[in-house]
Amino acid sequence: MVADSHVRLYVRGLVLGYKRARTNQYEHTSLIQLENVNSKEDVSFYQGKRLAYVYKAKTLKKGSKYRCIWGKVTRPHGNSGVVRAKFRKNLPPKSIGSKVRCMLYPSNI
């Protein structure tokens, strides 16, 4: 392996919104589209994997302005590779359309 090459240890994802019906919205479950995951069968590898929503806040805490909300992939949503995820604290509405990181642990291989 080349020493100066950059290795990303997570898969990029996009927050699509909350689980919802026509009239009701369930904020405790978020819908995430992971990169290069296009079918329900692809989702099985990512079930149980940890998600990180990293955002920047205004005030310094523990020497950093960056904060993180952790969650995990729970199950597929539909047939097109979208996953349902639960976070420790519900994702804020400003997170819709923003990026999440899907860590490649815990491993089940």
Side-chain angles (χ1 to χ4, degrees):
M1 180 188 240
V2 181
D4 61 344
S5 68
H6 179 69
V7 178
R8 186 167 30 88
L9 297 175
Y10 60 89
V11 174
R12 290 184 291 230
L14 191 67
V15 180
L16 301 180
Y18 302 117
K19 180 181 127 181
R20 54 169 298 165
R22 191 174 58 184
T23 54
N24 295 346
Q25 177 173 281
Y26 303 97
E27 293 90 1
H28 56 74
T29 304
S30 300
L31 302 179
I32 312 290
Q33 175 71 64
L34 297 174
E35 207 172 56
N36 301 322
V37 179
N38 300 316
S39 69
K40 191 184 277 192
E41 290 73 32
D42 296 343
V43 171
S44 62
F45 172 79
Y46 292 98
Q47 283 185 335
K49 298 282 190 276
R50 295 280 164 204
L51 294 166
Y53 169 65
V54 179
Y55 62 101
K56 193 174 182 183
K58 204 165 193 175
T59 56
L60 228 68
K61 285 206 176 172
K62 298 181 185 173
S64 175
K65 287 189 177 183
Y66 290 96
R67 316 256 170 92
C68 183
I69 301 176
W70 287 94
K72 73 175 167 182
V73 176
T74 54
R75 53 171 293 181
H77 179 82
N79 295 312
S80 62
V82 176
V83 300
R84 293 186 198 174
K86 292 210 173 216
F87 287 81
R88 287 188 188 154
K89 291 175 69 174
N90 297 346
L91 289 184
K94 72 170 187 175
S95 70
I96 295 173
S98 62
K99 303 268 198 282
V100 291
R101 299 174 179 186
C102 182
M103 305 301 174
L104 297 176
Y105 57 81
S107 175
N108 53 12
I109 296 176

